[in-house]
Amino acid sequence: MATVRALAIPAAGATVEPATVERRDPRPDDVVIDIRYAGICHSDIHQANEDWGPAIFPMVPGHEITGVVAAVGEAVTRFAVGDRVGVGCFVDSCGTCEACVAGLEQYCAAHPVATYNGRDHDGAPTYGGYSERIVVRESFVLRIPDALALDAAAPLLCAGITSYSPLRHWKIGPGSRVAIVGLGGLGHMGVQLAHALGADVTVLSQTLSKEKDGLRLGADRYRATSDEATFDELRGGLDFILNTVSASLDLDAYLSLLRLDGTMCNVGGPGDPQRHLAYSLIQTRRNLAGSNVGGIRETQEMLDFCAEHGITAEIELIGAADVNTAYERVLASDVRYRFVIDIATLA
Ligand code: NAP
Ligand code: ZN
């Protein structure tokens, strides 16, 4: 066991404070990673506040991790000391169920082992990326392409893959009319990725305050959802809506924007039950769906796609002392477009 510095939340709703956690000695198939950067995902805040139900405390959040390999177990073949690597939302899965065999570990029938606020197969709580070091099985470690800076690449491990996976699953490409709802961490990745895949992209944001950024990131148009005219203009015209909003929306209003057989995919995870009228789907055979991050193979594909297309996250790099303020700013939709913690400031 090794004791490492971390940032932890001691109890539900409490603020982040310095702490230490124990990391296991590497097993034969483990990679020991010196963490350099950890992104702040809105999911960190949902879980710290128990928006999704009871959580495990103390909690060390962080599932957008990049760093450098510090040591490898003797059976590790794909990584060596000094390699630039990443870890996303889960660090293990059963490996044998239908989903795992298909490379969709995020849908593991036995539930994947979450990077934090989860329990490893031996029952030990997992601790995430707001820490100096993590020990992860080789098959759950990603390679960060040389073209991507380690700090700006961190958010790709969750915000990037959570946007990429549904865009690929619903075969978004040239000719697709896509709307991205919410220009936060996930949304700003969704805009870049949908644009790179060749789609016509509309951003639906609460106001026009980030319009310039949205257009620069690749949107073809930017509309405010506070303006009724937006819904009149776009009604029945979209093939696909990626909803990245962390709060409940008027689903009927958004579903009305879909054409025949169109799909609205929710990736945003508000804690409240979501409601919609049956006829919002029935009327033109619309689909309401959800999507959970992405599998390991697809995450590597996304990282390579981002490197090839010059896509990365736009980040505000912060020190360990600024995390609580960053949480407040995320909750106020005041993020452009991802806070990333410089782990060197934990020292
Ligand atoms: P974020 O950076 O806070 O972005 C969310 C955006 O939603 C905000 O920037 C804002 O965009 C919009 N928004 C916030 N409150 C709103 C409200 N009351 N009404 C309308 N729009 C609102 O959050 P994130 O890190 O991108 O995460 C977004 C959601 O996805 C969270 O719920 C998170 O837990 C979830 N998530 C899910 C997965 C998954 O696998 N499915 C993975 C990661 C995260 P505008 O200012 O542009 O309106
Ligand atoms: Zn996340």
Side-chain angles (χ1 to χ4, degrees):
M1 287 285 213
T3 304
V4 304
R5 279 182 287 234
L7 293 173
I9 295 157
T15 53
V16 174
E17 58 184 47
T20 57
V21 287
E22 300 295 317
R23 295 298 190 190
R24 67 173 181 254
D25 294 328
R27 301 168 186 152
D29 65 343
D30 272 340
V31 177
V32 181
I33 301 165
D34 276 341
I35 299 176
R36 297 284 166 82
Y37 302 102
I40 294 179
C41 178
H42 204 120
S43 302
D44 300 349
I45 303 173
H46 284 306
Q47 290 175 87
N49 290 335
E50 292 194 322
D51 290 349
W52 298 340
I56 302 167
F57 295 96
M59 179 187 294
V60 176
H63 57 208
E64 295 186 334
I65 300 168
T66 55
V68 175
V69 175
V72 293
E74 68 262 21
V76 168
T77 57
R78 292 189 304 116
F79 297 100
V81 172
D83 284 356
R84 290 151 35 94
V85 293
V87 177
C89 294
F90 47 92
V91 289
D92 213 341
S93 69
C94 82
T96 55
C97 73
E98 196 182 354
C100 284
V101 169
L104 298 169
E105 301 89 350
Q106 74 275 32
Y107 302 120
C108 173
H111 207 277
V113 177
T115 304
Y116 70 88
N117 190 26
R119 291 204 182 270
D120 218 327
H121 296 311
D122 62 4
T126 54
Y127 298 113
Y130 299 6
S131 64
E132 292 175 303
R133 189 167 265 218
I134 193 166
V135 182
V136 180
R137 285 185 66 194
E138 173 181 29
S139 43
F140 290 82
V141 177
L142 287 307
R143 187 171 293 286
I144 306 295
D146 289 341
L148 299 176
L150 273 191
D151 54 359
L156 303 183
L157 277 306
C158 175
I161 184 59
T162 303
S163 310
Y164 183 80
S165 186
L167 292 171
R168 297 288 287 170
H169 181 75
W170 277 279
K171 300 185 170 43
I172 299 309
S176 309
R177 289 159 297 175
V178 171
I180 307 290
V181 191
L183 195 72
L186 268 55
H188 96 291
M189 291 311 308
V191 172
Q192 296 183 76
L193 291 164
H195 174 69
L197 290 166
D200 176 274
V201 183
T202 301
V203 173
L204 294 174
S205 182
Q206 293 167 94
T207 69
L208 294 179
S209 64
K210 296 177 276 191
E211 180 175 16
K212 260 198 196 132
D213 291 347
L215 297 176
R216 176 172 50 75
L217 290 164
D220 296 280
R221 66 197 68 73
Y222 198 103
R223 297 288 184 267
T225 53
S226 50
D227 183 351
E228 286 276 319
T230 294
F231 291 88
D232 293 336
E233 177 196 345
L234 300 174
R235 183 155 295 123
L238 297 170
D239 297 295
F240 187 74
I241 299 174
L242 185 69
N243 172 20
T244 76
V245 172
S246 46
S248 301
L249 292 180
D250 175 356
L251 292 182
D252 298 303
Y254 289 85
L255 288 167
S256 77
L257 307 183
L258 293 172
R259 65 162 185 76
L260 174 65
D261 285 331
T263 295
M264 175 167 179
C265 176
N266 288 333
V267 288
D272 315 322
Q274 307 292 291
R275 295 173 63 85
H276 65 83
L277 294 168
Y279 262 88
S280 294
L281 299 179
I282 291 169
Q283 205 177 30
T284 54
R285 202 165 55 188
R286 297 176 179 123
N287 306 286
L288 181 60
S291 183
N292 187 22
V293 286
I296 294 296
R297 193 166 59 216
E298 193 173 47
T299 304
Q300 190 63 60
E301 177 189 306
M302 176 276 309
L303 289 166
D304 296 342
F305 181 90
C306 286
E308 191 187 321
H309 291 265
I311 294 173
T312 195
E314 297 208 350
I315 63 164
E316 197 172 317
L317 194 63
I318 61 167
D322 302 320
V323 173
N324 290 311
T325 310
Y327 273 28
E328 285 167 21
R329 286 183 53 193
V330 171
L331 287 170
S333 298
D334 178 21
V335 50
R336 299 189 180 206
Y337 283 88
R338 200 56 142 186
F339 292 107
V340 171
I341 306 166
D342 181 354
I343 294 300
T345 63
L346 272 183

